[in-house]
Structures are given as structure tokens and as C-alpha cells.
Amino acid sequence: MVARSWRTVSGSRGLRRRLMDRLAAVVARRPLAIVAGTAFLALASALWSAWHLRLDADTNSLVGDDQPYMRRYRDFLRDFGDLEYILLVVDPAGNESEANEATRELVTGLRALPDLRGATGSVTSAEQYRLSTWSMSDAELSGLHEARGALPVLTSGPGAGGLLLQSTDRLERLLADGAGMERTRQRELAAEAFLLARCALGGMPDAPASLATALPERWLPAGPGPLRLVLVMPDKNFETLAVIERPLQEIRDLITKVRRAHPSIEIGLTGKPVLKADEMRTTSDDMSTASVVALLLCAALFMVVFRGVKRPMLAVLVFLAGSALTYGAATLMLGHLNLLSVVFMLVLVGVGLDYGVHMVARYLEGLRHLGPAASVRHTIRQAVPSVLAGALTSAGTFLLAVAAPMRGLRELGLVSGVGLMLCAITMAITLPALLLLLDRGARREPLKRGLFMEPLDRRQDPFGGRAAMRHWLLTGAFLCAAIGGGWIGWDRIRFESNLLRLQAEGLDSVGWQRKLQAAGGNATWFGACITDSIDRIPELVERARKEPLIGQARSVLDVVRPDTRERAAWRMAIGNAALGRPASSRQIATPPLADGLAQALGRLADGAGLAGAPETDVATIRALRDGVQALNRALRQSPDEMVRASELAAGRSTEFATALGAGARGSLRQALPDAMRDTFTSSDGRSAVILNPVEDVWDPAALERFVAAMRRVDPDVTGVPITVFESLRLMRRSFLQQGVLATLFVAIVLLADFRSLRLAALSLVSLAAGMGVTVGVMGVLDVPLSLANFFAIPIMIGLGIDSCIHVTHRAIDGGLLSGFGSTRRAVVVTALTTTIGFGTLLWAQHQGLRSLGAVMTIASVACLASSVWLLPAMLRIMGLGVPRLRTAPSMP
């Protein structure tokens, strides 16, 4: 049965050799045309992609709108706007007054930056007045409605003297004609006069509350503690990896400036946009450093292995051409790269460059006894089938991701799979042409002996008794280690989905994020229950309060009262009344004006007492008269100082009355402060109930509990916790699906390539053994799988099966008798280059990249051992007693 398998394999080699001979003939006849054509296509692809290929760095694009939860979140962003703010955290450290000043300086400086769409750190007095007609009690709103006739005066800006004069005029009319007026009109005139008088007194130290009173600024809390937030919305450029690189640097420069002015105040910077930008910066720095170190080490390795750099550099040039073609293909197929597909170059470097190593190794092997043309034919015959089979298998494992439910994985799989095939094809066609052009016509000189330069007919006898025992022992030990490693990995390997633990250690933004979490400030994580009617908000809030894992349930009803037709009518009348025209001239407060108002108030108080008015009303009028008399005395004693104070108060009353009127005339969304508007209301009139967690939902278990609690409140809840939670589930499901499909695909390709069930099975066993040892070492060293290293899995499969294919093809060509020669050493070199390339990441700052380096280093070493030790041993065991295998391999 074993012999039948080998005969089947041998029968398929005739057609393959004829095809390879035709390719070799084309390369021999037109090497310059092939090189020129490849260079033209690569250059055109590079220019086309540089002009048309764009980057989509929006993490929301990784999932795709075909998922229901993502569609809901997209609708939320469309209606409510982007709520992923940069967060400036201010810690007063016990110095409230200095913290107030520092916060104001921050907000003022931020609003002056050109790359920011907005910044807010408090609810100002003007914003509170703008909202006041929505938040007042019914009694307060009714009283303001009575006094609405004073609003045109206030908004016209008459000055403090004008306020005194207008108040006196209304009182005189009330005293003169009040007996003949309706009760309602009497109350309105009195209310108007009193409001104007209070505003005129706004400059006095003990002035009564009025529209001239500056309400205390309400700082945005970061939780129940003393920490404050400044919310900053930057311009986001998703066509760059950092997204907010320029505004972020401007903000950091401003923070440094404010810190110097207020050294006792701690100021930090965090928020999801900052965390993402810092992650991109550290990963970029790590990758740049690792690339330079890896390039130098790999160059040194090539010089040692190949005894020169010319031919390896040709392989690198062809690889770059294949990469350029991949960029062009990505431009044509997608037109963009996302945050997952952008890492396809790591895949190409990890797998695609190895094809060139195998080609050069076979070429140098041929040059030991043959001329350049014959060596190229030998290379194409012996190496290209293995390269194409390995590329098809590796590419297929990535292309299967096209069926994944996650858009980011689909695009990564598509670009990586197509790129691997393009790299393999360019290596198979263009690299032989370049080698031929390099060596054709050159004077024949003895080659320096290298690792790949040995006689092609070197033979060994692997079938002796002691050798057979070694093969059995090696196979048994390796398979036991693989099975044990698989069990350890299954038991110990975890999936790290806490993104904070993947960041570089010591990042300031991560430290402040943890400080926010400790203080109970979960501003970056919230769910949103969307309702078309504000009347449904109390029901949702009540449900949320029953969930212990939901900390706060915030809504617009926290700052406004439920609306009624009567309140709406009052508010509209107030808003329309506040449309006053600017005064023709401003009048300052003078003693005669104050004296006139005081006398009018005195007469009104006396009349009210005689008429039997309530004692509280009479006391209110007399208190107001006493205040005006005090103003009169202050104007006589310190006229300049009192006039300035009165004019400032009158200006405030104009500003605040204007804001009040605007809020009363507009919609609730227009009346809300900037810090609340987009959070609680949408542009189409819907409302949101914002749910914040109690636990630290950066932890995946806490996130799952929080999402479950929110869905008990509202099954259609949306927000970042929902998208992150569902995306992680989707990603894990996609990994499992791709793993199963990849295994089936690899088995089918191996069967089609080898035409032997046993050879395919042995290659799969070798791959599985390498993966088993890999996960076992990961479990022992506590190296988790994470979002940063997940794509190492298809790369490991590609590297492992590629090496197995090359070794098995060499065995088919007689390697069991003559030795695996350059093939085995080429596999070693490709594994070493992968180990070097990814191993340099072991010193990365970013913990996710460090874990990627660890996984790839472990995997490349394990798969190397399984392909160069285990697989040949199993092949030799399978070949025992088969005389046909003792036929020497044919020469090209």
C-alpha cells in the first residue's frame, strides 16, 4: 500500500515536470522581458495604490454593518453624534480655587486650537439660564410668566439706570391706575417692576437673586469624587493610523503650559481616542526599531548562509515587487485598508519572503555541478512546485476568512491570501530570470562552499536497524510532547481581551484611565437606551435602578421637568417676550433714579398694608425698598465704584435674559448645555438614557455582566460596551470557524498535491505536532492569545505547512536516500528569519506586540523542529522495506 502511494505520486510528477520545463524554457528565452514586465507592473501598482489606496482607521469599520448590533450603533452615531471624547482629567488635590482657574485656562486654550470641534469643562451661568425655563418648577415658571413684560427691557440692554427708571414707571402706573385694573394685570405689573428692581440691585454686595445673579459654574464631575473632566472633541482623520495625532500634540502642549502655571494641580489626559493614538504611536515605534534590527540580523544570516548578498538581495527585490503588486490588488479589490488588513505586510514578510529562500537555495545547489541555465531549470523543476503548493495552502488558509462574519478579518484574509499568491508567482517567474541575468555570461569560477552547496548525489542509508530505532524514538517522543502540549495549552491558555493590558507599561493615558475607574468615573464606557418618547424615560430608569451592576442611569429628566401643554404655553410666551430691541441709549444708575424707585416702593408697601395684603408680601416690598435705598447711599458715597458694579450687573442681566429667552423659544435639545446636548438628545427628537457600569468593564468578565444587565433594561441597548463585547465574541467565533475550515482546506490541498493519503496525513500530523508544542509552551510561559497576536495563528499554519510541503516534495524526489540537503537547510533558514523578524518584538514596549513576538518565536521554532526532525523520521518509517525508494533522484 505504501508502494502504491509512491507510484501515485510518481505518476503525477510527469505532467508537473513538463509544465515546469515549459516555464523554464520561457524564462531562458525572455529573462529580460520578464524582469522588465514585473518591474513595470510593480511600479504601476505602487503608484496606483499610493494615489488611490486609503486607510480606514475607524475601529467601527472592522465589524461591518451586516451585524444588527453594529447597525444600531451606526444609527446612534448618526443621530446623536460622536461621543468618544478626549478626556482631560483635573485633580484639584484639595485646592478648589486654583483648580477652577486651571480648568478655565484649559477650556479657553482648547477652544483656541484650530483642530478641535469643541471643548467644555462646565455648565456655565448662561447655559443654566438657557435651560432654566425647562428645569423650573411650575410655580417658578408661572411667576416668570407673570413678569415676562420685563424681559424686553432686560434684553434691550438699558443699563442700570434704565432698569431703575422702567421699574419706577411700572410702579407709578400700578399706584395710579391699579384700582381700575384687572387682578391679573396688577400682578403682572408688580412682578415686572420687582424683577427690574432686583436686576438693578445686582451690583450690591447683598443683592437679591435675580437675572443679574451669576449662577455658580458647575464643573463636569468624573464620578462621586473630586476629579473633574474637560470633554474635547477633536477633528478625527481616519485616513491616518493615529487619527488625532496633530490635535493630541497641541493638547499636550497646552497641558504642559497650564501645569507650569498651576503646579499644585494634577492634570491628565485619557479617553478612548487618546488610548488608541498612544497605542498606535508605541506600536509604530516598536515596529520601526524591530524592523531595523531584524533587517540587519537577517542580512548577516544571509551573508553567512549564502556566502554573499547578491542572490539573496535579488530575492528581496522580487519580494518587494510582489508586495507592490499586492498593494495594487488591494486598491482594485477594496480601495482601502482597515486596522486589521493593514498588517498584511507582516504576513507577507513572515511567509512570502521564505519562497525566495527556497528558490535561491535550490539554485545554489544546482550551481555546484551545473551552469546557470541548467541551474535555473533545476530550480524551477524542483522548487517551484513546492513553492506554489505551499503558497496555495497558506493563501487558502487566509482566503477562507472571506467567509468570516467579521469585515476586518474578511479583508485581512483577502489581501493576505492574494498577496501570498502574487509573491509566490513573482518568485517562481521573476527570480529565476534575475538569477539567469546575474550569472549568464559570467566567467565560471569555483563557488565558495556554503550551506546549500553540496553534491546532488549525496546519499545516505536511513534504513539501518539503529537508524530505524532512532526514527521511532524521535517520532514517539515528539508526538507525546505535542499531545502533552495540546493538553497544557487547552487548560492554561486564555484569551486576553482587556485592551489596557496590551498597552505599553507606564503610559500616562493608561494610568489616568485606571485612576478614573478607581474614582468611579466610567465616562468612556456607557450604554444608551434610545426612546422616541421622553415619557418612556422614567420606566427605563426604574428598570436600570433595579440592576446592581448599573451605577448611574442618566437622562435629560435629571436636569429638566416633564413637559405639559401649560408649561409649553408659558415657555413660548416667555421666549417671545424676550425678543427686545436694543435700547437707543444706556442709562447709568444715579441717586435721583434710585430715590424715585425707593419712594414708589415705599408707597406701594404702605398701600398694600392698608389694603390687607399678606404680611409676607408687604415685607418683600419693604425689603426691596431698603435695598434700593442702600443703592442710593452707595451711589452718593462711592459713585464711580457703584456705577461700575451696577453696569456689570445690568450687563449680566441682559446676557442671562437673552439666554433664557433663547432657551424658552427653542427646542429642548437647543436649550441643553453643550456638555449634555448630544449625550441625551438626538437631532431627530429622540432621547437616550445613559447607563454607566459599577465594575471595571475593561475586564471582559465584568463587561459581559454589564452587557447582560443593560439588555435586561432594554434588549435594543447600544453603545461601545455592546460593540466591544459582541465584536470579541464575533472574533472568537471567526477564529474557530477559520481554524476548522483551514484544516479541511489544507488536507484537500495536500491530497491534491501529493496524490497520496498517507503523505498528506503525515504532513498534517507534523503540522499538528508543531502547533501542539507551540500551545504547550505558551501555556507554560503564560503567553495569552489576544487581539494583538490572533493573526499569528494563520501565519503559523502557513509557515508550518509550507515547510512540510517542501520536505515532503524533497522526499518524493529521493531525499530519503540522498538526504534532504538544501531543502532542510532552507527550511531552517526560513524559520530563523521568521524567528529573528518576530523575535525582535520580544523587547517591544507594547505588551500586545511583545506577545505577538513570543507566539511567533515559539511557533517558528516548534514548527521548524516538527518539519526537519519529526516529518523526515515519519517519512523514513513509512518508507521502510520499500525497495523502490532506493532509486537515486534524477538529475535535471
Side-chain angles (χ1 to χ4, degrees):
M1 189 171 181
V2 175
R4 188 182 303 115
S5 297
W6 283 101
R7 286 196 296 272
T8 304
V9 173
S10 299
S12 67
R13 293 174 61 199
L15 176 61
R16 180 183 298 166
R17 172 161 291 195
R18 289 193 294 273
L19 292 175
M20 293 301 103
D21 284 347
R22 290 182 182 179
L23 175 60
V26 172
V27 171
R29 286 196 305 268
R30 298 282 188 272
L32 188 59
I34 291 173
V35 171
T38 302
F40 173 78
L41 289 175
L43 181 60
S45 297
L47 294 175
W48 175 260
S49 60
W51 187 260
H52 293 284
L53 186 65
R54 63 181 181 85
L55 175 67
D56 182 3
D58 187 357
T59 54
N60 295 324
S61 300
L62 297 179
V63 178
D65 294 338
D66 52 342
Q67 300 296 321
Y69 71 89
M70 203 66 219
R71 285 198 297 271
R72 285 195 294 270
Y73 186 63
R74 290 281 192 187
D75 292 342
F76 172 73
L77 291 179
R78 182 195 64 217
D79 297 334
F80 287 80
D82 185 0
L83 299 181
E84 288 192 0
Y85 293 99
I86 291 176
L87 302 180
L88 275 71
V89 187
V90 179
D91 186 352
N95 194 338
E96 294 293 332
S97 60
E98 190 166 358
N100 295 347
E101 188 63 29
T103 307
R104 292 190 186 100
E105 289 181 19
L106 283 172
V107 173
T108 302
L110 290 167
R111 289 175 176 170
L113 296 179
D115 296 314
L116 301 183
R117 284 187 280 167
T120 180
S122 65
V123 179
T124 65
S125 292
E127 288 178 320
Q128 293 177 56
Y129 277 111
R130 190 175 68 212
L131 185 64
S132 59
T133 56
W134 294 85
S135 59
M136 290 178 178
S137 66
D138 288 354
E140 292 170 327
L141 187 60
S142 175
L144 181 60
H145 178 260
E146 282 187 343
R148 66 188 182 281
L151 295 177
V153 177
L154 292 169
T155 57
S156 68
L163 296 177
L164 292 170
L165 186 61
Q166 290 291 334
S167 179
T168 303
D169 177 68
R170 281 163 173 72
L171 289 177
E172 293 293 351
R173 275 190 282 158
L174 184 61
L175 289 170
D177 304 325
M181 293 180 182
E182 294 182 359
R183 179 65 177 169
T184 301
R185 184 52 185 157
Q186 290 178 356
R187 293 177 59 86
E188 289 176 349
L189 273 178
E192 293 169 15
F194 295 161
L195 178 56
L196 292 170
R198 292 192 182 97
C199 290
L201 294 175
M204 296 292 292
D206 53 350
S210 70
L211 286 177
T213 303
L215 300 176
E217 205 166 2
R218 295 186 179 180
W219 308 107
L220 302 183
L227 298 183
R228 306 174 181 180
L229 293 179
V230 177
L231 307 181
V232 181
M233 181 54 65
D235 287 331
K236 297 180 180 179
N237 181 9
F238 288 109
E239 294 189 1
T240 63
L241 282 175
V243 180
I244 58 168
E245 182 176 7
R246 180 174 172 178
L248 184 58
Q249 186 56 51
E250 293 173 341
I251 293 171
R252 284 186 162 134
D253 292 342
L254 176 63
I255 290 175
T256 300
K257 178 181 176 182
V258 175
R259 278 174 177 165
R260 284 198 298 264
H262 305 279
S264 65
I265 304 301
E266 294 184 47
I267 304 172
L269 189 64
T270 189
K272 288 191 69 179
V274 180
L275 292 169
K276 291 177 186 176
D278 284 350
E279 182 175 35
M280 290 300 173
R281 177 178 55 81
T282 54
T283 54
S284 178
D285 292 344
D286 289 337
M287 290 296 293
S288 298
T289 303
S291 298
V292 172
V293 174
L295 180 61
L296 294 175
L297 292 176
C298 287
L301 176 65
F302 287 160
M303 292 176 67
V304 171
V305 171
F306 294 105
R307 298 295 191 269
V309 295
K310 289 183 180 179
R311 296 179 185 91
M313 287 304 103
L314 292 182
V316 173
L317 286 176
V318 176
F319 169 75
L320 293 177
S323 300
L325 292 174
T326 305
Y327 274 103
T331 306
L332 289 175
M333 293 184 299
L334 300 172
H336 66 269
L337 295 174
N338 60 46
L339 288 175
L340 285 182
S341 60
V342 76
V343 302
F344 78 90
M345 277 303 298
L346 282 178
V347 177
L348 297 191
V349 172
V351 182
L353 192 57
D354 295 350
Y355 305 146
V357 174
H358 286 284
M359 296 285 291
V360 173
R362 282 287 186 148
Y363 179 73
L364 292 176
E365 181 185 71
L367 278 182
R368 189 68 184 172
H369 296 283
L370 307 169
S375 295
V376 164
R377 185 169 62 253
H378 167 71
T379 301
I380 292 177
R381 276 183 177 181
Q382 305 299 329
V384 168
S386 300
V387 166
L388 293 180
L392 179 61
T393 307
S394 299
T397 61
F398 281 96
L399 289 172
L400 288 171
V402 173
M406 191 171 186
R407 176 184 171 188
L409 289 178
R410 291 199 299 265
E411 295 181 359
L412 172 62
L414 179 62
V415 177
S416 299
V418 171
L420 288 174
M421 288 307 303
L422 288 173
C423 285
I425 292 170
T426 53
M427 288 292 184
I429 298 174
T430 309
L431 183 56
L434 277 172
L435 292 170
L436 187 58
L437 289 173
L438 176 68
D439 292 325
R440 189 170 62 180
R443 189 176 65 178
R444 181 71 179 271
E445 296 180 357
L447 292 173
K448 298 176 181 179
R449 187 170 181 83
L451 292 179
F452 298 108
M453 298 172 186
E454 61 176 315
L456 293 177
D457 59 352
R458 177 183 174 185
R459 293 189 172 103
Q460 60 185 30
D461 183 8
F463 301 105
R466 297 181 66 181
M469 181 61 68
R470 286 200 308 270
H471 302 329
W472 280 103
L473 289 176
L474 175 62
T475 300
F478 208 112
L479 292 180
C480 288
I483 293 171
W487 180 81
I488 292 173
W490 179 267
D491 183 60
R492 295 188 183 182
I493 290 181
R494 55 192 170 83
F495 190 89
E496 180 58 81
S497 53
N498 188 329
L499 300 182
L500 287 184
R501 293 176 186 163
L502 301 181
Q503 294 272 25
E505 297 175 352
L507 273 182
D508 191 58
S509 56
V510 174
W512 278 99
Q513 180 62 44
R514 296 192 185 282
K515 191 170 183 177
L516 270 182
Q517 294 292 143
N522 288 283
T524 55
W525 292 89
F526 63 85
C529 303
I530 311 303
T531 175
D532 294 329
S533 172
I534 199 172
D535 297 333
R536 188 167 173 256
I537 290 178
E539 174 192 351
L540 292 171
V541 171
E542 185 60 30
R543 288 185 194 170
R545 287 174 178 167
K546 294 178 181 178
E547 295 291 341
L549 296 178
I550 297 178
Q552 289 180 302
R554 299 178 294 123
S555 74
V556 71
L557 292 184
D558 293 340
V559 292
V560 304
R561 294 178 183 269
D563 210 12
T564 63
R565 289 186 178 180
E566 187 177 33
R567 287 180 63 88
W570 287 340
R571 198 168 52 248
M572 185 55 64
I574 291 169
N576 291 333
L579 292 170
R581 296 180 178 179
S584 56
S585 61
R586 292 178 62 89
Q587 289 183 280
I588 64 172
T590 62
L593 290 175
D595 186 57
L597 178 57
Q599 292 182 20
L601 286 168
R603 295 201 305 274
L604 182 63
D606 294 339
L610 293 174
E615 191 63 33
T616 54
D617 292 348
V618 176
T620 299
I621 298 172
R622 287 176 175 161
L624 191 57
R625 178 200 62 192
D626 294 341
V628 174
Q629 288 176 342
L631 173 63
N632 187 9
R633 290 192 296 271
L635 287 170
R636 295 179 185 278
Q637 294 170 1
S638 307
D640 295 338
E641 180 181 345
M642 198 64 242
V643 166
R644 280 195 300 271
S646 298
E647 286 305 303
L648 286 174
R652 289 196 301 269
S653 66
T654 298
E655 176 191 356
F656 297 154
T658 302
L660 181 147
R665 287 190 302 274
S667 64
L668 172 59
R669 177 175 168 80
Q670 293 170 331
L672 284 170
D674 294 345
M676 304 177 186
R677 184 178 299 116
D678 291 332
T679 303
F680 294 137
T681 61
S682 71
S683 56
D684 61 354
R686 293 187 296 165
S687 300
V689 177
I690 303 300
L691 307 178
N692 292 107
V694 171
E695 298 180 292
D696 177 7
V697 290
W698 288 96
D699 177 72
L703 176 62
E704 182 176 5
R705 292 191 292 269
F706 179 53
V707 169
M710 290 194 297
R711 283 177 168 164
R712 287 192 291 270
V713 175
D714 181 4
D716 294 327
V717 66
T718 187
V720 171
I722 303 294
T723 61
V724 171
F725 173 72
E726 291 293 348
S727 297
L728 291 174
R729 291 179 59 189
L730 188 64
M731 190 172 291
R732 285 193 285 264
R733 189 163 68 247
S734 299
F735 290 160
L736 180 61
Q737 172 183 310
Q738 188 178 3
V740 173
L741 293 177
T743 302
L744 294 175
F745 176 79
V746 168
I748 292 171
V749 172
L750 293 178
L751 280 172
D753 182 38
F754 298 148
R755 305 291 181 89
S756 166
L757 180 60
R758 291 200 175 196
L759 291 180
L762 290 178
S763 295
L764 286 174
V765 169
S766 176
L767 173 64
M771 299 293 286
V773 172
T774 297
V775 298
V777 176
M778 288 174 61
V780 170
L781 298 181
D782 193 26
V783 178
L785 287 174
S786 69
L787 296 177
N789 63 24
F790 73 92
F791 61 90
I793 297 174
I795 297 178
M796 288 190 296
I797 294 175
L799 287 172
I801 203 61
D802 185 70
S803 299
C804 292
I805 288 173
H806 283 286
V807 170
T808 304
H809 272 276
R810 185 65 181 237
I812 293 171
D813 291 334
L816 294 180
L817 284 174
S818 61
F820 289 89
S822 64
T823 299
R824 173 178 273 170
R825 282 182 285 278
V827 169
V828 172
V829 171
T830 57
L832 288 177
T833 57
T834 302
T835 302
I836 291 171
F838 286 96
T840 52
L841 294 176
L842 290 171
W843 288 269
Q845 300 177 66
H846 189 271
Q847 297 181 78
L849 279 183
R850 198 183 307 159
S851 70
L852 172 62
V855 171
M856 287 304 302
T857 300
I858 296 168
S860 54
V861 173
C863 290
L864 168 65
S866 68
S867 60
V868 301
W869 290 337
L870 175 63
L871 182 56
M874 292 190 297
L875 287 169
R876 283 176 172 136
I877 291 171
M878 188 188 76
L880 286 175
V882 182
R884 297 178 62 89
L885 294 183
R886 294 183 179 273
T887 303
S890 59
M891 296 289 289

